[in-house]
Every structure is written in C-alpha cells, then in structure tokens.
Amino acid sequence: MEGVGAEGASAASPVAQWGNDVWRMYQYYLDKSTPHTVHRWIGTFVVMAIYCLRVYYVQGFYIIAYGLGIYILNLLIGFLSPLVDPEIDPSDGPLLPTKGSDEFKPFIRRLPEFKFWYSFTKAFVIAFVMTFFSMFDVPVFWPILLCYWIVLFVLTMRRQIAHMIKFKYIPFNVGKQKYGGKKSSAGSSGSRGD
C-alpha cells in the first residue's frame, strides 16, 4: 500500500519541480525589471498596441475592451490615492501636511507603481488571450460602451481631483521641491592631490 502512494508522489515530483523552476525564473526576471521603469512601460505600451491592433483587426471583443477599461480605471484610482485616506480615517487628524510648518510626510500610494504596472500589463495580456476565444465575443453596440466609459472616467477623475485638492496632495513628483542632501566633506575640502 505504501508503494502506491510513493510512486504517485515521485511521478508528480518532476512536473512540480519544473513548475517551481519556471515560476522562480519568472520571479527572478520580474525582480530584475523593477528598477527599469521606463523600459517596463515601453514594453507595456507595445503589449497594449498589439492588443488594440488585434481588437481593431478582428472588429469584435468590445465587451472585453470595456471590462479592461473599467479595470484599468480602478487601478488608476488606486495609483492616485494615498495609502491612508484622510477622509476615511480622520481619527489621527490630517496625515498629509497642510501648512508649511507641518512635518513632511511623503506621499505613499495605495497601489505602488510596480504593482500598478504589473496589474496593468497582466490585464492586457489576459485580454489579448481572451480575444482568441469566440465565446467572449459578445455582440454589443460599442459606441454606447465607449460613451458610458468616458462618462465614468470623467466623473471618477473629477471626484479624485477634488479629493486631491481638498487634502492638498499631488501624487506625482512634477513641480515638487527637490532636496540635494548633504555634500561629502572629503569632496569639498580640496585636500586631494589631483
């Protein structure tokens, strides 16, 4: 009786080992891509362009594109929102500085850039794969979906921008003051013999 269980475990072991090796290699390259923000986003826009060309070429799968748009909008809201929303958790007072004398607290996103990029790219890849299955090609009148998505986007972004103005935070580094930090004392002393 014990031989049958051990035989099944050893037969599944190479498959499980291969799956584990593939996952570790995938995670390794994903980790290596972390500091290369521009290259990651260029790759994502290439994937996005391929998906858009596929939908345009096939002239279908608009419901998948609509669902993808809603999901991307949801990711964008998480990306633009602070980790601790002062409107939801007012118990500690305002967490973001409102006066020049307040302590500086950096903007921490609810959805970090890497997770935003990863989810964004994964969504386009999944949507692209779904365009190869005709069961997902539900006939819809796409202009109505597009109009509804635009209205949803405008209303959502208006609310998000009003929230940013109300709590005085900017989720981007554009226009923010940059601090140089301390200068090295060895470099400024002029004691080098060069």
Side-chain angles (χ1 to χ4, degrees), residues 169-186:
Y169 67 91
I170 301 172
F172 304 107
N173 291 332
V174 176
K176 291 185 180 180
Q177 184 177 1
K178 296 188 192 269
Y179 298 98
K182 290 186 176 183
K183 299 279 185 194
S184 170
S185 61

Side-chain angles (χ1 to χ4, degrees), residues 15-28:
V15 173
Q17 181 65 33
W18 178 80
N20 189 22
D21 290 344
V22 168
W23 178 256
R24 288 173 66 194
M25 186 184 317
Y26 171 74
Q27 191 63 47
Y28 171 76

Side-chain angles (χ1 to χ4, degrees), residues 61-74:
F61 299 99
Y62 300 120
I63 198 76
I64 292 174
Y66 177 72
L68 178 65
I70 296 295
Y71 180 71
I72 297 300
L73 183 60
N74 187 24

Side-chain angles (χ1 to χ4, degrees), residues 97-143:
T98 56
K99 300 178 206 154
S101 61
D102 285 350
E103 177 186 348
F104 171 72
K105 294 180 180 154
F107 181 78
I108 301 171
R109 300 178 189 284
R110 185 174 359 139
L111 183 65
E113 185 273 335
F114 184 79
K115 289 184 179 180
F116 175 65
W117 166 80
Y118 183 68
S119 299
F120 191 91
T121 306
K122 191 167 60 169
F124 271 98
V125 169
I126 290 170
F128 179 73
V129 170
M130 288 174 75
T131 62
F132 289 98
F133 299 99
S134 62
M135 68 181 166
F136 296 117
D137 191 12
V138 179
V140 293
F141 188 59
W142 67 267

